[in-house]
C-alpha cells in the first residue's frame, strides 16, 4: 500500500509499536490499521481497518486520521491531522491505553565504501539497534539521543574509568579510577569489571565478565553505554528523568489484605510531586514501592524507560531517600557528618580533596556554608532537614524521595523546606515528597491524593484539586475521605477528564507487562570491609566524644560502683564481706557494659537502614560498635575493679590466684563480664523497636544477673534454674572471681558450688563460657540487624 512521495526533505524516523521496529523513509506513505496490507498493522478491535496515515508534507512528518471510529491521539488530544517527529507518542483507538507508536530519529547510514573496495551487498531490511533494556527510548530523555559516540577499534581494549589516563573518561565520583574494560576479540566484545567498588552492570545486573552484544546496556556510574555497530554510544543520566508508575498493587498476609491497588501515574522530568492523603491511605507503602525498598507485588515502575525492579541493582544508586527521622549523627558538625558520609559512599580510590570538594559543593547548593562547623543538634528543624538532603545529594541522585520532611516544623519552616525542594527540581531532578502538610502545595507541579485503601483519588495540578473534589478547604476533603469510606474515589477519578489529561495523556511510556525481578539484591560496596570499619570506628568515636552526657556517665559510673564495692569489702575479703563485694563487682560490670550499649542500635536504626541500602556492610557496622564500646567498657571495668580492690587483702591461698596474681585474674573476669554485658546490651538494642523501652529492660537485666549469679540462690543441682543460669554471664564471672580467691576456703560453710573451685580447669571454663556467650550474642545481633534492612535485600 505504500505510495511514493515527491522529493524527500524530512528525516528518516524510527517507529516502534507492538514490539516491532522499522525505519520510515520520507519518500513513502505509511498506512496504519487492521488491514494486513498496511505498513503498520495493529491487531486491536479499537483500531479501524484503515485508521491513519503517516506521510511527509512540506518537509516534515504528519499523522492524518482516516475518519477512524475511535480516533487518533497525540498528547492526549484527538487529532485529524497534526505534525509529528522524534519523541512523539501516537495512540490509536483510545488516549489512555490504545495501541501506541513511538517515533524517534533514525541513526545515520554508514559511509559509502571507498572506490578501491567492493561495495557490500545491501541488507534485506534496515535494522535499528536500541538498548534492549529500555522500553521506548523516544519516550525518555536519557536514551533519546546519545551524549557521545565513540568508534571502536576492531582489535583493541577500551579502558573506562575516572582517571584521565583511561581511553574513555567518566567524570563521576561514583566511578572508580580504573573501572572496566571493553575488550575486542574474535568472538566479539566483552565487558570486564576491573574490581570497581560500585560495580559494572550489564542490562541492570552486576557482572564481573560477560559478552556484550548490540543493544546491551552497560551501566557505569551515571553513564550507560550501548554497542551500535562498531560504535560505542554513551548516554549520561543528567538527572532529568521521567518516572512511569503502572498498575502498582501491594498485598500482605499472603495476599489476604491489600494495601495499595491499581496505582498508575506519570512523573515528568524536573517535576516536584507531592503525595498527600489521610492516615492509612498507603503513602509509606507507595514510597517503599517507588524506591524499590519493598517492591510492589504487581505492576511496573519505569525509571526513564527501564524497569526499576529488574534493574534495581544498578538504578538504586541514582535514587536518594530522606526518611522522616534524621539520618545523621546529631553530635557531629555539618561538615564532619557529610565528610564521613562521603567516605562511605564514594569509591575507596577517591582522593580526600575530591570528596571535600563535593561536600563543599553540596553545602553551597543548600545554603549550609555558614553552618558547616555547627553541631547538627543545634540547628533548627528546617536546617537539619537540609543537612539530611545534602547527604543524599552527595551522589547526585536523579530521583529524590522525602518522607514527611516538614513534620514538626512551623509554617515558615514548612514553606522554606518546600521552596528548597522546588529549587532542587528546577536544577534537574525529579523530586517526590510525602507530606501531611497542605500549606505549600502551590509550589509543586503535580499532586497525588491517595484515598483510604491505597487508591488514587486525584492526580494533577495542585490548584485544580479542591475544585475537583468540590470543597473550599483541605480539611473538608480529608473529612470526606474519613466519613465516606464506601465511595469509589478511584473509579470516579479514572472516569474523569483529569485522568485522561494528566495520567493517560501525560504517560511517557506505553503500558508494559512487569518483568520478573532479579531476586534479592545485595548492597553495593563502595569501600572495602576494612576501609568501612576504619571510617565507622572514627565516626562513632567522634560522635561519642562529642556527647557530653555520655562522657559524664561513662566516667562517673565505674568510680561510683567501685566505691560501693570497696566500702563493702573493707580492708579484707572475709566470710562476711567477700560475697557482697564480688556481687557488687558483678552488678557494676553488668550495669557498666549494658548501659553503654543498650540504646546504641535502636537509636541509629534509621541511619543504619539508609546506609545499609547504599552499601554499608552489616558486619563492619556491628564490629565498629563492638570495638569502640568494647574498648570503653574494658577501661571502665579496669577502673571499677581497681577502685574496689586496691588496698584490700584478697585472702587468696598463698596470696596467689589460679594462674596469675589474684588482682589481675579478678580484673580480667570483671572486664570480660562487662564486655559480655555490653554484647547483651547490643542484643536488647537490636531486639526492641523503641528506644524508650531500653531503660526498663536494663533494670531487668541487672536483676536477672543478681538472681542467677549464684551468690543468693543455690543453683548447682537445681533443675531448670541451673540450666537457665548457663545463659547468665554473671554466673560464670562470679565463679571465676570466687575461684581466684578460693571462696570455699574463706566460707567453708557458705557454698559448695563446683564453679567456685580454685582450679585452673574451672577458672578457664568460667572465662571461656563468657567468651562463648559474647560470640553467640554477636551472631544473634547480626541476624536481628538483618530484619531492619530493605525487604528487597532480604527476599
Amino acid at each position: 500500500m505504500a505510495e511514493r512521495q515527491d522529493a524527500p526533505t524530512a528525516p528518516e524516523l524510527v517507529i516502534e509499536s507492538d514490539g516491532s521496529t522499522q525505519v520510515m523513509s520520507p519518500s513513502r506513505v505509511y498506512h496504519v490499521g487492521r488491514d494486513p496490507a498496511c505498513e503498520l498493522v495493529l491487531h486491536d478491535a479499537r483500531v479501524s481497518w484503515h485508521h491513519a496515515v503517516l506521510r511527509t508534507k512540506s518537509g516534515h512528518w504528519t499523522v492524518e486520521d482516516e475518519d477512524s471510529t475511535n480516533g487518533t491521539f497525540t498528547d492526549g488530544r484527538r487529532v485529524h491531522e497534526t505534525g509529528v517527529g522524534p519523541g512523539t507518542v501516537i495512540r490509536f483507538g483510545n488516549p489512555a491505553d490504545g495501541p501506541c507508536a513511538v517515533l524517534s530519529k533514525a541513526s545515520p547510514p554508514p559511509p559509502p565504501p571507498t572506490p578501491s573496495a567492493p561495495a557490500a551487498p545491501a541488507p534485506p531490511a534496515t535494522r535499528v539497534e536500541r538498548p534492549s533494556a529500555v522500553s521506548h527510548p523516544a519516550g525518555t530523555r536519557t536514551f533519546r539521543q546519545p551524549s557521545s559516540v565513540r568508534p571502536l577499534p576492531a582489535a583493541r581494549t577500551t579502558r573506562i574509568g575516572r582517571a584521565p589516563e583511561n581511553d574513555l573518561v567518566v567524570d563521576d565520583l561514583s566511578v572508580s579510577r580504573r573501572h572496566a574494560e571493553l575488550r575486542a576479540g574474535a568472538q566479539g566484545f566483552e565487558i570486564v569489571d576491573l574490581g570497581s567498588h560500585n560495580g559494572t552492570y550489564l542490562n541492570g545486573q552486576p557482572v564481573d565478565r560477560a559478552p556484550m552484544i548490540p543493544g546491551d546496556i552497560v551501566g557505569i556510574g551515571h553513564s550507560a553505554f550501548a554497542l551500535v555497530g562498531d560504535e560505542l554510544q554513551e548516554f549520561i543520566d543528567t538527572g532529568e528523568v521521567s518516572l512511569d508508575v503502572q498498575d502498582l498493587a501491594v498485598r500482605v498476609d499472603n495476599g489476604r489484605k491489600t494495601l495499595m491497588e491499581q496505582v498508575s501515574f506519570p512523573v515528568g522530568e524536573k517535576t516536584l510531586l507531592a503525595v498527600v492523603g489521610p492516615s492509612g491511605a498507603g503513602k509509606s507503602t507507595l514510597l517503599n514501592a517507588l524506591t524499590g525498598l519493598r517492591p510492589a507485588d504487581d505492576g511496573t515502575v519505569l525509571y526513564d524507560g527501564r524497569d526499576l525492579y529488574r534493574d534495581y541493582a544498578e538504578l538504586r544508586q541514582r535514587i536518594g531517600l530522606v526518611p522522616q527521622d534524621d539520618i545523621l549523627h546529631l553530635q557531629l558538625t555539618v561538615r564532619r557528618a557529610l565528610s564521613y558520609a562521603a567516605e562511605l559512599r564514594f569509591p575507596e580510590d577517591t582522593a580526600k580533596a575530591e570528596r571535600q570538594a563535593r561536600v563543599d559543593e553540596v553545602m553551597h547548593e543548600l545554603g549550609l556554608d555558614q553552618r558547616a562547623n555547627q553541631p547538627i543538634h543545634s540547628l533548627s528543624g528546617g536546617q537539619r532537614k537540609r543537612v539530611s538532603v545534602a547527604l543524599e545529594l552527595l551522589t547526585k541522585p536523579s530521583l529524590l524521595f522525602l518522607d514527611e520532611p516538614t513534620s514538626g516544623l512551623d509554617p515558615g519552616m514548612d514553606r522554606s523546606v518546600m521552596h528548597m525542594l522546588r529549587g532542587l527540581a528546577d536544577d534537574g531532578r525529579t523530586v517526590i515528597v510525602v507530606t501531611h502538610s497542605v500549606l505549600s502545595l502551590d509550589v509543586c507541579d503535580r499532586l497525588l491524593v491517595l484515598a483510604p485503601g491505597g487508591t488514587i483519588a486525584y492526580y494533577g495540578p495542585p490548584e485544580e484539586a479542591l475544585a475537583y473534589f468540590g470543597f473550599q478547604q483541605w480539611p473538608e476533603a480529608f473529612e470526606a475521605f474519613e466519613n465516606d469510606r464506601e465511595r469509589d474515589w478511584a473509579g470516579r477519578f479514572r472516569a474523569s477528564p483529569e485522568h485522561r489529561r494528566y495520567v493517560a495523556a501525560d504517560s511517557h511510556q506505553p503500558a508494559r507487562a512487569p518483568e520478573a525481578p532479579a531476586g534479592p539484591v545485595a548492597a553495593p560496596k563502595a569501600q572495602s570491609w576494612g576501609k568501612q570499619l576504619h571510617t565507622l570506628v572514627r565516626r562513632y568515636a567522634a560522635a561519642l566524644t562529642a556527647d557530653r552526657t555520655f562522657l559524664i556517665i561513662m566516667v562517673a559510673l565505674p568510680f561510683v560502683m567501685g566505691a560501693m564495692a570497696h566500702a563493702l569489702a573493707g580492708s579484707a575479703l572475709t566470710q562476711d564481706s567477700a560475697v557482697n563485694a564480688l556481687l557488687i563487682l558483678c552488678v557494676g560490670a553488668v550495669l557498666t557494659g549494658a548501659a553503654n550499649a543498650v540504646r546504641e542500635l535502636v537509636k541509629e536504626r534509621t541511619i543504619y537502614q539508609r546506609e545499609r541500602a547504599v552499601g554499608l556492610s552489616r558486619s563492619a557496622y556491628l564490629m565498629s560498635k563492638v570495638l569502640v564500646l568494647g574498648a570503653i567498657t574494658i577501661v571502665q571495668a579496669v577502673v571499677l575493679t581497681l577502685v574496689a580492690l586496691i588496698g584490700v587483702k584478697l585472702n587468696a591461698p598463698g596470696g596467689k590466684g589460679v594462674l596469675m596474681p589474684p588482682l589481675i585474674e579478678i580484673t580480667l573476669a570483671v572486664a570480660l563480664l562487662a564486655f559480655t554485658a555490653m554484647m547483651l546490651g547490643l542484643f536488647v538494642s537490636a531486639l526492641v523497636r523503641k528506644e524508650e523501652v531500653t531503660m526498663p529492660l536494663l533494670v531487668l537485666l541487672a536483676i536477672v544477673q543478681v538472681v542467677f549469679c549464684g551468690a543468693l540462690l543455690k543453683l548447682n543441682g537445681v533443675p531448670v534454674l541451673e540450666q537457665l543460669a548457663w545463659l547468665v554471664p554473671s554466673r560464670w564471672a562470679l565463679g571465676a572471681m570466687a575461684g581466684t580467691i578460693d571462696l570455699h576456703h574463706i566460707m567453708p560453710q557458705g557454698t559448695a558450688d563446683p564453679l567456685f573451685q580454685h582450679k585452673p580447669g574451672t577458672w578457664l571454663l568460667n572465662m571461656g563460657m563468657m567468651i562463648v556467650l559474647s560470640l553467640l550474642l554477636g551472631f544473634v545481633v547480626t541476624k536481628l540487624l538483618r530484619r531492619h534492612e530493605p525487604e528487597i535485600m532480604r527476599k
Side-chain angles (χ1 to χ4, degrees):
M1 292 181 63
E3 306 165 7
R4 183 162 296 278
Q5 294 279 88
D6 296 332
T9 55
E12 286 188 342
L13 291 182
V14 177
I15 184 168
E16 299 177 81
S17 181
D18 199 24
S20 64
T21 302
Q22 63 176 297
V23 176
M24 298 195 304
S25 169
S27 64
R28 306 180 67 184
V29 174
Y30 295 84
H31 297 80
V32 183
R34 287 188 290 114
D35 185 351
C38 290
E39 284 71 33
L40 183 60
V41 181
L42 300 175
H43 302 287
D44 191 294
R46 294 169 293 182
V47 177
S48 298
W49 191 254
H50 295 149
H51 197 104
V53 175
L54 284 158
R55 58 161 61 95
T56 59
K57 285 186 178 180
S58 303
H60 64 271
W61 284 92
T62 65
V63 61
E64 181 180 350
D65 186 80
E66 290 195 301
D67 297 323
S68 64
T69 302
N70 294 316
T72 302
F73 303 84
T74 63
D75 296 327
R77 298 179 294 105
R78 184 165 183 166
V79 297
H80 175 68
E81 182 177 2
T82 187
V84 294
T88 300
V89 178
I90 310 171
R91 289 194 180 272
F92 305 97
N94 188 286
D97 59 357
C100 174
V102 180
L103 304 181
S104 59
K105 187 177 179 181
S107 300
T114 60
S116 60
T126 304
R127 181 182 180 188
V128 178
E129 303 289 357
R130 66 179 177 87
S132 59
V134 180
S135 175
H136 286 275
T140 74
R141 176 174 290 273
T142 302
F143 293 98
R144 191 174 300 163
Q145 189 71 26
S147 306
S148 64
V149 177
R150 180 186 182 88
L152 290 175
R156 188 186 152 194
T157 295
T158 300
R159 181 172 293 168
I160 306 171
R162 195 177 78 251
E165 61 268 18
N166 288 286
D167 301 305
L168 203 162
V169 179
V170 181
D171 186 16
D172 183 346
L173 285 184
S174 63
V175 176
S176 297
R177 295 184 64 83
R178 296 174 68 253
H179 197 104
E181 287 180 346
L182 184 62
R183 298 174 181 173
Q187 303 299 320
F189 288 95
E190 181 183 45
I191 187 70
V192 179
D193 185 78
L194 299 178
S196 66
H197 288 285
N198 281 326
T200 300
Y201 299 86
L202 180 64
N203 296 326
Q205 303 306 311
V207 294
D208 294 323
R209 188 188 199 106
M212 183 179 177
I213 62 175
D216 282 345
I217 293 179
V218 169
I220 295 177
H222 287 76
S223 295
F225 300 91
L227 189 62
V228 180
D230 59 352
E231 294 178 340
L232 189 66
Q233 296 185 355
E234 181 181 13
F235 302 87
I236 298 178
D237 184 345
T238 61
E240 297 183 27
V241 300
S242 62
L243 194 71
D244 281 89
V245 181
Q246 301 179 351
D247 295 323
L248 293 192
V250 175
R251 290 177 286 274
V252 294
D253 297 336
N254 294 322
R256 292 190 295 270
K257 182 178 180 181
T258 299
L259 301 181
M260 193 169 66
E261 187 71 31
Q262 290 186 321
V263 171
S264 300
F265 57 90
V267 186
E269 302 146 5
K270 302 172 68 172
T271 293
L272 174 57
L273 166 67
V275 181
V276 301
S279 298
K283 297 187 294 296
S284 296
T285 301
L286 176 62
L287 189 69
N288 288 332
L290 296 183
T291 55
L293 296 179
R294 198 289 187 192
D297 298 296
D298 295 319
T300 306
V301 179
L302 294 179
Y303 174 103
D304 217 28
R306 299 178 64 180
D307 190 314
L308 175 64
Y309 297 158
R310 184 197 63 199
D311 297 352
Y312 184 72
E314 176 187 354
L315 297 179
R316 68 190 301 166
Q317 301 180 53
R318 307 184 198 177
I319 297 174
L321 172 61
V322 180
Q324 182 174 348
D325 296 327
D326 292 310
I327 52 176
L328 292 157
H329 291 83
L330 302 183
Q331 303 90 343
L332 300 178
T333 64
V334 172
R335 182 185 298 280
R336 203 169 188 184
L338 293 179
S339 297
Y340 283 127
E343 281 191 54
L344 290 172
R345 297 197 179 194
F346 289 138
E348 193 169 335
D349 59 12
T350 307
K352 182 177 181 181
E354 292 178 294
R355 294 196 304 266
Q356 288 304 319
R358 181 58 187 155
V359 169
D360 291 340
E361 182 182 351
V362 168
M363 287 195 301
H364 180 71
E365 182 179 3
L366 293 176
L368 294 169
D369 305 78
Q370 303 301 318
R371 313 284 184 181
N373 297 314
Q374 188 172 340
I376 298 173
H377 68 78
S378 66
L379 300 176
S380 65
Q383 293 290 346
R384 283 216 306 265
K385 193 58 64 176
R386 285 177 181 266
V387 180
S388 293
V389 173
L391 185 150
E392 291 300 309
L393 293 187
L394 287 172
T395 53
K396 298 185 177 180
S398 302
L399 280 176
L400 182 62
F401 294 87
L402 300 100
D403 188 10
E404 300 287 354
T406 61
S407 177
L409 302 184
D410 61 61
M413 286 293 184
D414 181 302
R415 192 155 188 84
S416 174
V417 170
M418 292 301 291
H419 275 283
M420 173 191 68
L421 301 181
R422 172 74 269 167
L424 294 177
D426 292 339
D427 287 343
R429 302 176 187 87
T430 300
V431 182
I432 299 177
V433 53
V434 173
T435 180
H436 276 106
S437 174
V438 295
L439 298 176
S440 303
L441 296 180
D442 57 300
V443 305
C444 301
D445 300 295
R446 288 289 184 266
L447 173 65
L448 172 64
V449 182
L450 289 176
T455 58
I456 295 182
Y458 172 81
Y459 182 84
E463 61 270 16
E464 299 180 17
L466 283 175
Y468 168 81
F469 289 115
F471 297 111
Q472 298 294 320
Q473 302 291 333
W474 277 107
E476 297 173 330
F478 282 93
E479 285 180 0
F481 288 136
E482 185 66 30
N483 299 331
D484 196 2
R485 287 183 170 268
E486 300 302 319
R487 186 172 183 177
D488 186 7
W489 297 97
R492 177 196 172 194
F493 178 66
R494 284 195 297 269
S496 69
E498 286 80 4
H499 182 277
R500 292 191 294 273
R501 186 179 306 123
Y502 302 122
V503 176
D506 274 2
S507 293
H508 306 278
Q509 297 281 319
R512 57 184 285 192
E515 301 184 32
V521 178
K525 289 182 172 61
Q527 306 283 330
S528 65
W529 189 89
K531 179 63 175 177
Q532 278 198 13
L533 178 62
H534 182 247
T535 302
L536 290 168
V537 166
R538 287 166 41 234
R539 183 180 70 175
Y540 188 41
L544 288 181
T545 54
D547 188 341
R548 293 184 179 179
T549 302
F550 178 83
L551 287 176
I552 293 173
I553 295 175
M554 180 182 67
V555 172
L557 186 59
F559 281 99
V560 172
M561 298 301 297
M564 293 172 59
H566 189 87
L568 288 172
S571 59
L573 296 182
T574 63
Q575 183 173 350
D576 295 328
S577 65
V579 171
N580 291 334
L582 297 183
L583 180 61
I584 291 298
L585 282 176
C586 285
V587 173
V590 168
L591 284 177
T592 298
N596 286 343
V598 77
R599 296 170 55 248
E600 293 308 297
L601 296 182
V602 64
K603 77 177 184 181
E604 290 186 3
R605 186 154 297 160
T606 302
I607 298 175
Y608 171 74
Q609 289 172 335
R610 182 60 195 140
E611 292 187 339
R612 177 70 177 135
V614 296
L616 180 70
S617 166
R618 184 195 314 149
S619 58
Y621 174 76
L622 178 58
M623 185 58 68
S624 71
K625 300 293 184 186
V626 171
L627 290 179
V628 175
L629 291 176
I632 293 172
T633 299
I634 289 173
V635 170
Q636 289 176 302
V638 171
V639 172
L640 166 66
T641 309
L642 294 180
V643 170
L645 299 181
I646 283 293
V648 177
K649 185 178 181 181
L650 301 180
N651 283 330
K656 298 179 181 180
V658 178
L659 297 173
M660 294 171 281
L663 184 59
I664 293 179
E665 285 189 2
I666 293 177
T667 301
L668 289 175
V670 173
L672 192 51
L673 172 60
F675 183 88
T676 309
M678 182 269 295
M679 295 300 297
L680 189 59
L682 289 177
F683 165 75
V684 172
S685 193
L687 186 66
V688 300
R689 295 186 178 274
K690 295 182 179 180
E691 189 177 343
E692 293 80 8
V693 303
T694 56
M695 288 301 106
L697 288 177
L698 178 62
V699 175
L700 179 62
L701 280 178
I703 294 174
V704 169
Q705 303 303 315
V706 171
V707 172
F708 286 93
C709 69
L712 304 180
L713 293 178
K714 181 179 182 299
L715 298 175
N716 181 51
V718 180
V720 181
L721 285 182
E722 182 178 15
Q723 286 71 41
L724 286 176
W726 293 348
L727 301 176
V728 177
S730 62
R731 165 71 168 150
W732 307 101
L734 183 65
M737 290 187 288
T740 293
I741 64 173
D742 193 4
L743 191 63
H744 288 162
H745 175 74
I746 296 176
M747 301 176 59
Q749 308 299 323
T751 178
D753 197 317
L755 293 182
F756 293 174
Q757 294 177 2
H758 186 76
K759 295 180 179 179
T762 305
W763 189 83
L764 290 174
L765 171 66
N766 287 322
M767 299 294 284
M769 284 302 299
M770 285 190 283
I771 296 175
V772 169
L773 286 175
S774 295
L775 294 175
L776 179 63
L777 287 167
F779 175 78
V780 174
V781 172
T782 302
K783 296 302 180 182
L784 290 175
L785 283 174
R786 187 173 180 271
R787 297 188 313 161
H788 306 297
E789 295 171 3
E791 185 170 332
I792 196 169
M793 299 172 64
R794 296 186 279 115
K795 279 190 174 182

